[in-house]
Amino acid sequence: CCKNFQQRQKDQRRPLQVLDLFSGIGSGVVVLKRLKLPIYTIVHVEHDPVAVEVCKANHRDDGIIHHYVTTFEEVFGTNNEANHKIVVALVEKYGPFDLVLSGSPCQSYSGLNASRVPNSENAQYLLKVGRLIQKLDEIQMGSKNVKDNVLFLSENVVFKHHDKVDQCYGGLPPVRLDAKDFSPCKRNRFYWTNVRLKSSAKIKDVASGVSLDGFLDEGYGTVARLIQAEDQEDMPVKSNSFLASLSRIDDDRMIKYKLAGTSGRNASAAYHIETYSVAEREKMIGLPAGYVEKPIGRLFSELTQKAFVLPESSDKGETYRDFLPREFWHFRKRCNFKFLANSELPYFQLALSSPLEGKSQLAFYSEKQYCKHLIGNGWSIPVVEYLLGSLTELFAGDVLLTYDKYNPPYPWPYISP
């Protein structure tokens, strides 16, 4: 695959057409923009309307044509093999595709999930993505006069016995990378890709020594420092992987401390313990500041006031449609809501459910919890930037673009691929 990739270098003039499966908040788009790749269109396939809202808020009016599809079945079909007619229609409407990105559900493979079922319907998505890529090659190279295979990157958790999965990706084994070697936080993942990889040695030499300490909110420190011996003080401390489930987004792996009173009545409360904030998590995973927090804040505020408070207090019989911007109407139909007690006006806090995703019951997230949930589902930006870095070699230098907000360097030492 590397030989085929090298033959394509500097040969591409047409902007990329991208299929982004299980696209979430658009982590893949962030990486493509950081790499300055010219993009014509991106088809986002994502069923969580809250994640889609984050993606839309950050990537609208960027000169790229964005299409949003709700379910994977709309581009693949409902069986284990890709539906030829559906994929042909997909290519006719949005293709031909140059690149496929995927972050399929990992619950059925994760060792943290005690109830995981490797043969479940949810687990099949990882294999189906590979079959979809094969079908795209068959259609595009067979009838669309496309001379090159689709480039792809498919991510999932690390697990044993993946030979069957490898076969769906042309027999390629996964690349195993941990974000701790690229950033201040851990995230150990498998990546199936046919993009040529450069050496990561220089990146790791610099970024693996980056410690969590410098990326916490002012006044906070890492708990690990409290128990380290003096000769370990120069060792880097990494954040544990950010997870997405309600029970794990703020568990005891996510804590930091702040000095409180140290004498008198406060002697027994020398340290104030909190979990990592949304802003800290955005920074550590490589997202622009406010990428998740700002659009989620607006969404929750609009829904609270204009979907519930104002209609309920209206003396004219008005409904949410009289107050809520039309772009948010679909949340009333596609989300479930709970109202949590709150000591401040309006005396309740809204909680939204994420999609069921094979779970036995819905999980409801408050505003900050939903931010952390989505970040936990996202990609490590510097890792994926390394994996896709060779895509810049497909284009002459004068074709590369600079996108607003996606040009700044990471807030830690990092050598671009």
Side-chain angles (χ1 to χ4, degrees), residues 49-50 300 303 308 330-339 350-356 362-365 370:
V50 181
F300 271 74
L303 289 174
F308 294 102
H330 65 288
F331 286 98
R332 283 291 305 239
K333 295 181 179 179
R334 293 190 59 197
C335 292
N336 291 285
F337 301 90
K338 274 188 176 180
F339 304 95
L350 197 63
L352 271 66
S353 69
S354 64
L356 197 57
L362 292 172
F364 288 84
Y365 298 82
Y370 218 122

Side-chain angles (χ1 to χ4, degrees), residues 215 283 286 409-413:
F215 304 96
K283 186 187 304 181
Y410 295 111
W412 59 82

Side-chain angles (χ1 to χ4, degrees), residues 157-289:
V157 295
V158 173
F159 60 93
K160 297 178 180 178
H161 312 303
H162 47 80
D163 290 350
K164 187 177 179 181
V165 177
D166 298 351
Q167 290 307 309
C168 294
Y169 292 93
L172 291 173
V175 178
R176 181 174 178 174
L177 292 174
D178 194 329
K180 69 180 177 61
D181 295 321
F182 298 80
S183 71
C185 61
K186 303 174 184 176
R187 194 171 189 82
N188 195 15
R189 291 293 185 269
F190 273 165
Y191 300 90
W192 287 265
T193 185
N194 62 348
V195 177
R196 185 177 69 84
L197 299 182
K198 302 177 182 179
S199 170
S200 61
K202 290 184 178 180
I203 299 174
K204 291 180 178 180
D205 284 346
V206 174
S208 62
V210 173
S211 187
L212 171 63
D213 306 75
F215 304 96
L216 299 178
D217 294 337
E218 187 176 355
Y220 286 92
T222 61
V223 173
R225 295 296 187 203
L226 298 176
I227 57 176
Q228 281 182 332
E230 288 187 11
D231 60 353
Q232 296 177 312
E233 290 181 354
D234 292 333
M235 293 177 59
V237 175
K238 304 287 184 173
S239 163
N240 285 300
S241 295
F242 301 138
L243 302 178
S245 67
L246 186 60
S247 62
R248 293 183 182 274
I249 54 174
D250 279 329
D251 64 15
D252 57 9
R253 306 168 312 105
M254 296 285 108
I255 56 176
K256 58 185 179 179
Y257 78 91
K258 187 175 186 179
L259 287 174
T262 57
S263 61
R265 299 173 111 186
N266 292 324
S268 62
Y271 300 107
H272 176 67
I273 300 297
E274 289 185 20
T275 56
Y276 300 144
S277 68
V278 175
E280 289 168 336
R281 297 179 199 217
E282 288 177 332
K283 186 187 304 181
M284 285 189 276
I285 209 163
L287 290 169

Side-chain angles (χ1 to χ4, degrees), residues 102-166:
S102 176
S104 56
C106 64
Q107 297 95 329
S108 297
Y109 296 104
S110 174
L112 295 174
N113 182 7
S115 59
R116 65 188 181 279
V117 181
N119 294 320
S120 69
E121 183 178 348
N122 225 29
Q124 299 308 305
Y125 284 121
L126 178 58
L127 289 80
K128 289 180 178 181
V129 169
R131 294 175 188 141
L132 175 58
I133 292 166
Q134 293 178 14
K135 180 61 71 172
L136 285 170
D137 280 338
E138 173 192 325
I139 292 169
Q140 294 186 169
M141 298 179 75
S143 61
K144 296 298 177 186
N145 297 318
V146 174
K147 64 178 182 177
D148 298 310
N149 295 89
V150 175
L151 296 168
F152 62 82
L153 176 69
S154 181
E155 178 255 19
N156 214 284
V157 295
V158 173
F159 60 93
K160 297 178 180 178
H161 312 303
H162 47 80
D163 290 350
K164 187 177 179 181
V165 177
D166 298 351

Side-chain angles (χ1 to χ4, degrees), residues 296-310:
I296 293 292
R298 179 181 178 234
L299 173 64
F300 271 74
S301 176
E302 292 283 278
L303 289 174
T304 299
Q305 291 296 323
K306 298 176 182 179
F308 294 102
V309 173
L310 293 178

